[in-house]
Amino acid sequence: TGKVRLVERYIYNRQQYVMYDSDVGHYVGFTPFGEKQARHWNSNPVRLKYMRAAVDTLCRYNYEVFRPFTVERR
């Protein structure tokens, strides 16, 4: 579970415009609108704190719950 990460992508019209990656720790914009959104979301410490905590509360927790059915299944 040490390599579990959270990736949240926002896509419009088949183009990714902003992404959050827990390895990076903040939002990254790929288009002018996405850069604006990323700056806005990165300036909100509560949102970033929630996203960083979501890795533990959602990803690692659910990984342990679903691992027997997905990873260990043969």
Side-chain angles (χ1 to χ4, degrees):
T1 60
K3 297 298 277 181
V4 174
R5 70 183 219 189
L6 172 67
V7 177
E8 184 176 83
R9 295 178 177 170
Y10 292 87
I11 299 170
Y12 178 74
N13 204 17
R14 291 190 271 164
Q15 182 178 17
Q16 179 175 307
Y17 62 94
V18 70
M19 177 181 83
Y20 177 84
D21 187 346
S22 62
D23 286 347
V24 177
H26 62 274
Y27 288 91
V28 178
F30 298 101
T31 65
F33 176 72
E35 290 173 357
K36 181 179 177 183
Q37 287 297 112
R39 275 194 307 274
H40 175 70
W41 290 337
N42 287 333
S43 68
N44 185 349
V46 174
R47 185 179 183 116
L48 288 178
K49 186 176 180 180
Y50 171 79
M51 293 302 290
R52 291 180 184 130
V55 176
D56 293 325
T57 58
L58 297 174
C59 298
R60 284 195 178 95
Y61 174 78
N62 287 324
Y63 178 81
E64 290 297 327
V65 171
F66 290 105
R67 182 179 52 166
F69 304 107
T70 56
V71 177
E72 297 174 0
R73 190 171 188 177
R74 297 187 196 278

